[in-house]
Structures are given as C-alpha cells and as structure tokens.
Amino acid sequence: MSSVTELGPRRIPSYVDSANQHAGGVVGIATVRDPHAALAHPSVVMCSACRLRAECLPGELERGALDALAGRLVSTRRKVAQGEPLFRAGDVFDSLFAIWTGFFKTVVMTRQGREQVTGFQMAGDLIGLDGIHAERMTVDAIALEDSQVCVIPFAGLQEVAREAPPLQERLHRLMSREIVNDHNSMLHLGSMYAEERLAAFLLELAARLEARGYSGSSLQLRMSRGELGSYLGLKLETVSRTFSRFQAQGLLDVSHRRISITDPDGLRQVIDGAEM
Amino acid sequence: MSSVTELGPRRIPSYVDSANQHAGGVVGIATVRDPHAALAHPSVVMCSACRLRAECLPGELERGALDALAGRLVSTRRKVAQGEPLFRAGDVFDSLFAIWTGFFKTVVMTRQGREQVTGFQMAGDLIGLDGIHAERMTVDAIALEDSQVCVIPFAGLQEVAREAPPLQERLHRLMSREIVNDHNSMLHLGSMYAEERLAAFLLELAARLEARGYSGSSLQLRMSRGELGSYLGLKLETVSRTFSRFQAQGLLDVSHRRISITDPDGLRQVIDGAEM
DNA sequence: CGGGGTGTTGAAGCGTCTCAAAGCTTGTGG
DNA sequence: CCACAAGCTTTGAGACGCTTCAACACCCCG
C-alpha cells in the first residue's frame, strides 16, 4: 500500500485566491512584463534545473536553447486548487501552460451542455495548444488535484523559437504529438468495445506514469468514473462494471480509485485478442 | 442536377506512375533540390496566383511572406490517382502536403487491422502534420478521387517560418486547428447518437464546401458509406439507415452519394434538440 | 449486357444505457 | 470523536440503439 504511485504532492497547504487569477475571463496574463504577476508569484522558473525537463517543452535541448527558455520565457508559476479551472473555453489565449505538479482534465462542451473529456494531462504535459487557432481557448482545463503550472507566454515562445531552431522543432513535435494522441483517442472511441477502451487507457496511463518515474503497475486514478467514462465514450456505470469484470478475470485489483495492474499481458490481450 | 457541387476536376486523364513516387516507403522526396522530381513534375507552384491561397497555408499573408513561400518552398506538385495512397503509415516524414485538387481520407490502423478514418481533406487542407512528431507518418492518406497536392518540404518550411513571423504564426494556427477539429470529432464519437453524428457531419461538410465557393446544400460525397461510418464510429448499414430516416423526415434527399440538404435547420435541430 | 462493388432494407442478437437502490468513503459540524 | 451528509462507486434489471447476418437492388465499367 505504501508503494502506490502518487502524482505530485498529496496536499499543498495554502493557495492564493485562484479567482482573481481568472479575472475577466483572461488567462495567462502573467508575463515577464507584468510586475504584479511577478510579485504574486515570485518564483523564478529554471527549466535547466527542472526534473521534468525531458518530458516537458525543453526536451533534449542543449544549454543555449534552454537558457533562452528559462530566462526569457517561463517566468511565472500558477497554482490551481483541485476542482478549479486553469482556464475555460472562450477565455482569451495568451499562453501555454506546462504542468509542473498535479493532474488536469480538458473538456469540450456544446451549447446544450453536452460534455466530452478530450484528455488527461500530468506533469510535463502542455495544455492550451488548442487556443492558438482562434486566440481563444476551446476547452475547459480543470485541475483534478491541487496543481502548479508554468506559464509560457506564447508570443514570447514564438519569438524565441525563431532564434532557436531546436526549440522551434520541439514545439512543432509537441503539437504534432497532440494530434497523434487525438487520433489514437478517435480510434478508441470509434471502433472498440468498452473492455478494449478501458484496457487501452489503463496501459497507456501506466506507460505515461512509468515514463515519469512512477510505478507502472500500481496507480492512483485522479478522475472519477464519470470523467473517465466521458473520455472513453462510456457511461460511468459501464466503466465501473468493466473494472469489476477485469478484477473478476484477475487482470487487476480495484479499490475505488486505486488500481493495481496484476496482469498487463492479459490487458494487452483484451485489446489484441478481440478482432474486428 | 447541374448545380451539384463538384470537388475539383471530374477526371484527370493520365497520371504518372504513382508507384515509383512511393518507392522505398519514402514520401515527399521531391524537393527543390531533387532534379529528377523537378523533371517529373515541372510545374512550378505559385501560391500568390493560387485561387486557394486564403484556405491554404499562405492564408492572409502579405506579399513578402507569400513570395518566400512560393519561391523557396512549394516547388512541386504530385498527382495521386483515386484509391492510391499519398503516403502510408510508417513512411518517413519529409513534407507536408497541401491539397490543390481532389479529396482524401486519412486512416489510422492497429496491428490487428482495425481501422479508423480520422478525417476527410479537401482543397486547401494540409495533410501530414501527424508525421512531425516522430518523423514518420502515422496514418494512411488515400485519395478518394483523382487529386493533386503541393509538396511542402518541412525543413524548408521551418526555415522560412523563422524569417517570416506571419508564416510561423499561420503554421501554428493550422496545427492548432487540427487539434480543435480532432476534439470536435471526439465529441461526436464519444457522446452522440447516430443521427446526431451524421447531421453534424453533413452540416460541417456543407460549411466547408461553402467556404470554398461550392454549394452548401447540394453535395457529392466522395467517400463510401463504410468510410463515412468509420469516421463516425458507425457501421455502414447504420449510416445508410440514418440517411434513409433523414430522407423520410424530409431533411434531405439522398441518391447514393448525391445529397441535397433541403432542411438545414431541421438537421441542426437533430443535433440541438436531443438533449443529454 | 453481365459482374462486381456499393447501397438499401429486414430481423434477430448483443452491448451499452437508463433507472434505481444500496454500499462505501470523505469531510464537516455538533 | 462520533454522526451525518454529500458524493462517488457498485450492482441489478429492463429498455434501447446499434450491430450482425442476410438478401436484394442499384450503378458503373468493361
């Protein structure tokens, strides 16, 4: 029980009021040129010293490009309490956000209130790429646990990218990866049974956690059954039933949001075995 | 019947052998530095004179940036016959492709042969953004009618983008749009009934055609029921039945792949009316 | 004019959803 | 510290929508 994967700190004692960070529906207003923001969040971000470097925007950049990032770009951090939005659809797009600690979901919504979770993001992931197109966010980004994000003003990022080709390359690859991920989700949603979708999701989540140094077999889900169901195109009851069935088959142990994958190969067979 | 929308030329008489364009699994090898390709496809592309400028990569760029595009970048065109691949998943990524005439589908496939159509692309659309991430294409791009594409070597595009900020901006917006589109597809796949999915698809397709100067009410589908079903996460029979139901309700007229939308507001109500 | 690919339609089966109730966990206030 | 409330999860039973399997119609192309 003590080796269970935890995503970031369990509890972050006190947060600045997250409401005023969102005033006027504008997000990402905190840039290096904004003294108020600098005061509110005096922490100066140093990508070169960050443990998440490899997963995050910097990637494998060499020193020069890294310093350009650290010095001119990522200047502030923002805290977002569990359940609070980092931004909402319709907010003006200003900045990308790199998750430093915590866990988020992104949700698209129709006028009629129909919801679809489009992804779950963890430390090192980038949020906000969808906003570039129309300079407006198109999704809600909600913290599923107390989180901290690095604010990356996009105009500045583009500027630096022009001078540092490796950074430009990296940005393009990350945007492209987002597209590939979405295609993968579409594959799940469009042509798989509930068991296959859940199995694929769990294996992918475990792999992402493992890439960040956590256990790939014992995981703590940060989303509810309903949120997971939305992402997978299933109702929460179906998600719950499918978990129970997996447990009955000896593939994993479920205790609410604590999942232990006991037979990863079995899960892989759930995906591979069931032919079209 | 004579005002029916046609996408591009009805028939392009003769094509160069498309097989050798795909030799070795490498696509997009035809760059300005490749004399053979230049010989095979001597047409020099002039974005500034192209009717699709606004929809395509150049967007609303001013003259200087446009000339940079035309002169240094898009140097060759490729023809792809109906049913033939522009590229396949696993091919080395070299270039983006801008559709000049024709219509494509992109398809992801699992090892077990499960397929998912991830999108349909028409004149002005960009194909290949998914390949940037790992320098390999991740989808098959198949021509659904005889088509011609402009080849845009990506290394060169990045280079020019560094010198022409408006072009850089444009590229980022297009990549972001792709992400937004995919999220929209996920919404359809994850939380809609067959009728809603098809109605949303038809309205969106009509809007895209209209933006390109075609009729938004009378359209000629380029994909089979099966391909459309794959994109919508439905079986071909379900697509066919849903078309029939729409016709019975007086929303549209169906005759194989010829669709006349007679009641667009009715179609919108199909999406909006059915609450969660 | 015939054949193959494509589209339509019907009937039965199956997977997921809906509705409902009960169990469990967590947080809060008495 | 316990009790209770609120929210989340589990489980069951029946309904519903889509798929499957099958047969037939249609259109295009040679």
Side-chain angles (χ1 to χ4, degrees):
Chain A
M1 279 297 183
S2 59
S3 73
V4 164
T5 298
E6 289 294 338
L7 301 179
R10 221 172 267 256
R11 203 110 263 286
I12 297 172
S14 80
Y15 284 96
V16 298
D17 176 16
S18 73
N20 69 13
Q21 294 181 351
H22 196 250
V26 178
V27 296
I29 53 173
T31 74
V32 75
R33 295 166 199 97
D34 182 345
H36 289 296
L39 272 175
H41 308 287
S43 55
V44 175
V45 175
M46 294 294 290
C47 284
S48 53
C50 182
R51 83 210 127 77
L52 289 167
R53 211 176 336 123
E55 306 293 334
C56 190
L57 185 61
E60 308 297 343
L61 302 184
E62 27 73 56
R63 209 146 206 348
L66 245 182
D67 288 345
L69 250 190
R72 298 173 47 194
L73 234 52
V74 183
S75 51
T76 61
R77 286 231 178 89
R78 234 183 89 187
K79 296 181 180 183
V80 187
Q82 182 172 43
E84 294 296 314
L86 172 59
F87 54 78
R88 289 205 176 274
D91 288 354
V92 169
F93 168 79
D94 239 0
S95 308
L96 300 177
F97 301 93
I99 302 182
W100 190 50
T101 61
F103 202 89
F104 284 82
K105 68 169 177 179
T106 47
V107 188
V108 284
M109 203 180 285
T110 64
R111 248 167 283 102
Q112 302 86 46
R114 210 195 301 260
E115 277 190 24
Q116 173 71 32
V117 171
T118 57
F120 298 108
Q121 295 82 22
M122 61 179 74
D125 290 338
L126 228 48
I127 308 191
L129 292 171
D130 58 280
I132 299 169
H133 169 53
E135 293 184 272
R136 294 269 169 187
M137 311 314 295
T138 64
V139 297
D140 290 2
I142 312 288
L144 294 185
E145 62 177 347
D146 293 339
S147 303
Q148 292 185 258
V149 301
C150 299
V151 180
I152 307 171
F154 189 62
L157 177 59
Q158 286 192 125
E159 202 178 295
V160 178
R162 269 180 248 131
E163 301 162 27
L167 180 61
Q168 178 195 37
E169 177 92 23
R170 175 73 180 164
L171 174 62
H172 293 161
R173 281 178 199 247
L174 287 179
M175 296 191 75
S176 176
R177 187 176 67 179
E178 186 78 19
I179 293 168
V180 174
N181 286 344
D182 290 345
H183 288 172
N184 199 37
S185 291
M186 288 170 68
L187 177 68
H188 294 166
L189 288 168
S191 64
M192 283 181 151
Y193 292 116
E195 291 196 349
E196 305 173 283
R197 295 185 200 187
L198 185 58
F201 169 79
L202 288 173
L203 289 171
E204 192 186 297
L205 180 66
R208 284 210 283 165
L209 287 170
E210 212 156 24
R212 284 161 178 77
Y214 296 105
S215 162
S217 59
S218 182
L219 23 139
Q220 177 74 26
L221 299 184
R222 291 280 117 105
M223 73 292 285
S224 70
R225 296 289 188 267
E227 289 162 336
L228 183 47
S230 171
Y231 178 63
L232 297 176
L234 302 168
K235 295 296 160 189
L236 73 161
E237 297 95 328
T238 305
V239 174
S240 180
R241 273 185 247 273
T242 308
F243 268 125
S244 300
R245 216 173 311 143
F246 282 170
Q247 182 162 37
Q249 294 168 353
L251 299 174
L252 42 75
D253 284 325
V254 189
S255 174
H256 294 264
R257 295 191 181 180
R258 182 138 294 171
I259 312 290
S260 293
I261 298 177
T262 52
D263 184 2
D265 286 333
L267 280 178
R268 270 182 276 275
Q269 277 178 30
V270 169
I271 308 171
D272 293 0
E275 296 299 53
M276 34 160 277
Chain B
M1 280 298 185
S2 60
S3 73
V4 164
T5 297
E6 287 294 338
L7 300 178
R10 223 171 267 257
R11 206 109 261 290
I12 297 172
S14 81
Y15 283 96
V16 298
D17 176 15
S18 73
N20 70 14
Q21 293 180 354
H22 197 250
V26 178
V27 296
I29 53 176
T31 75
V32 75
R33 295 166 200 95
D34 183 346
H36 289 296
L39 271 175
H41 308 285
S43 55
V44 174
V45 175
M46 294 296 288
C47 285
S48 53
C50 182
R51 81 207 129 78
L52 288 168
R53 210 176 336 122
E55 307 293 335
C56 190
L57 184 61
E60 308 298 343
L61 300 185
E62 28 73 56
R63 207 145 206 352
L66 244 183
D67 289 345
L69 251 191
R72 299 173 47 192
L73 232 52
V74 183
S75 50
T76 60
R77 285 231 178 88
R78 233 183 91 185
K79 296 180 180 182
V80 187
Q82 183 172 43
E84 293 296 314
L86 172 59
F87 54 78
R88 289 205 176 273
D91 288 354
V92 169
F93 167 80
D94 238 3
S95 307
L96 300 176
F97 301 94
I99 303 182
W100 190 50
T101 61
F103 201 89
F104 284 82
K105 67 170 178 180
T106 47
V107 188
V108 283
M109 203 181 284
T110 64
R111 249 167 283 102
Q112 301 87 47
R114 210 195 302 259
E115 278 190 25
Q116 174 71 33
V117 171
T118 57
F120 298 109
Q121 295 81 23
M122 60 179 73
D125 289 339
L126 227 48
I127 309 191
L129 292 171
D130 59 279
I132 298 169
H133 169 52
E135 292 183 274
R136 294 269 171 187
M137 311 315 295
T138 65
V139 298
D140 290 4
I142 311 289
L144 295 185
E145 62 179 346
D146 294 340
S147 304
Q148 292 184 258
V149 300
C150 299
V151 180
I152 307 170
F154 189 62
L157 177 59
Q158 287 193 125
E159 202 177 294
V160 178
R162 267 180 250 133
E163 300 161 26
L167 180 60
Q168 179 196 36
E169 179 92 24
R170 176 75 180 161
L171 174 63
H172 292 161
R173 281 178 200 249
L174 287 178
M175 295 191 76
S176 176
R177 185 175 69 179
E178 186 78 18
I179 293 169
V180 174
N181 286 345
D182 290 345
H183 287 172
N184 199 37
S185 292
M186 288 170 68
L187 177 69
H188 295 165
L189 288 169
S191 62
M192 284 181 150
Y193 291 116
E195 292 196 349
E196 305 174 282
R197 295 184 200 187
L198 186 58
F201 170 79
L202 288 173
L203 289 172
E204 192 187 298
L205 180 66
R208 283 210 282 165
L209 288 169
E210 213 156 23
R212 284 161 178 77
Y214 296 105
S215 161
S217 58
S218 183
L219 23 139
Q220 178 74 25
L221 299 184
R222 291 281 116 103
M223 74 292 286
S224 70
R225 297 288 188 268
E227 288 162 337
L228 183 46
S230 172
Y231 178 63
L232 297 175
L234 302 168
K235 294 296 158 187
L236 61 108
E237 295 95 330
T238 304
V239 174
S240 180
R241 273 185 248 273
T242 307
F243 268 125
S244 300
R245 217 173 310 145
F246 282 169
Q247 182 161 35
Q249 295 168 353
L251 299 174
L252 43 75
D253 284 325
V254 188
S255 174
H256 296 266
R257 296 190 182 179
R258 181 140 296 170
I259 313 290
S260 292
I261 298 177
T262 54
D263 183 2
D265 286 333
L267 279 179
R268 270 182 276 276
Q269 277 177 31
V270 169
I271 308 172
D272 294 359
E275 297 300 53
M276 30 161 277

